């Protein structure tokens, strides 16, 4: 719980710093779902309104793709790395599926904190 609270506060502080720096640079922040248009000048449309500027940055964010239970039985019992950061209590046992640095870091953190942890690595062909 302490780690989660400190992590949340740290992320919020970073987000505030980034947003303040953007505002200091006189950059408009437009929140919503956007798409590029076919207009000759760089233009995006966000929630029905068009914006044109010499430079446009779209911060897409990201969401993990979670399989359905019909694709992988029991998938709904799991969580993504985002869910890991929402944990308020240490699980007694944990299984992390993945081979990327986030999976390795999470299994290391959980194990170090005392959760009996396993790391599963998926591969599609026998080597």
């Amino acid at each position: 719980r302490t780690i989660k609270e400190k992590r949340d506060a740290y992320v919020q502080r970073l987000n505030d710093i980034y947003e303040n720096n953007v505002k200091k640079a006189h950059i408009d922040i437009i929140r919503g779902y956007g798409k590029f248009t076919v207009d000759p000048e760089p233009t995006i449309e966000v929630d029905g309104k068009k914006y044109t500027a010499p430079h446009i940055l779209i911060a897409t964010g990201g969401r993990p793709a979670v399989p359905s239970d019909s694709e992988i039985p029991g998938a709904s019992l799991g969580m993504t790395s985002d869910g890991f950061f929402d944990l308020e209590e240490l699980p007694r046992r944990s299984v992390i599926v993945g081979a990327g640095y986030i999976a390795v870091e999470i299994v290391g953190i959980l194990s170090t904190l005392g959760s009996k942890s396993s790391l599963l690595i998926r591969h599609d062909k026998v080597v």
Side-chain angles (χ1 to χ4, degrees):
R1 182 169 291 152
T2 300
I3 290 172
K4 179 191 180 313
E5 289 170 2
K6 289 184 183 290
R7 180 247 178 211
D8 290 348
Y10 179 73
V11 169
Q12 185 60 54
R13 187 173 70 82
L14 285 179
N15 287 339
D16 292 344
I17 289 169
Y18 295 144
E19 188 166 334
N20 286 333
N21 286 340
V22 167
K23 288 177 181 176
K24 284 179 191 172
H26 306 289
I27 297 170
D28 295 325
I29 299 173
I30 301 160
R31 299 185 194 281
Y33 291 95
K35 63 181 178 181
F36 285 103
T37 68
V38 294
D39 295 291
E41 298 179 41
T43 304
I44 59 167
E45 183 178 324
V46 179
D47 298 330
K49 185 173 179 185
K50 287 187 176 184
Y51 300 89
T52 300
H55 304 283
I56 297 173
L57 169 68
I58 297 179
T60 61
R63 300 271 184 250
V66 179
S68 67
D69 280 338
S70 63
E71 295 172 288
I72 299 177
S76 64
L77 300 173
M79 68 177 65
T80 66
S81 57
D82 292 340
F84 165 77
F85 290 112
D86 290 333
L87 288 174
E88 294 190 10
E89 293 183 18
L90 181 68
R92 287 184 297 136
R93 298 176 62 101
S94 56
V95 176
I96 308 301
V97 180
Y101 72 92
I102 292 174
V104 173
E105 286 179 349
I106 289 175
V107 79
I109 290 167
L110 289 169
S111 179
T112 299
L113 292 173
S115 178
K116 183 173 176 158
S117 303
S118 300
L119 179 64
L120 301 181
I121 301 172
R122 181 192 72 162
H123 60 84
D124 295 329
K125 27 183 162 168
V126 177
V127 180

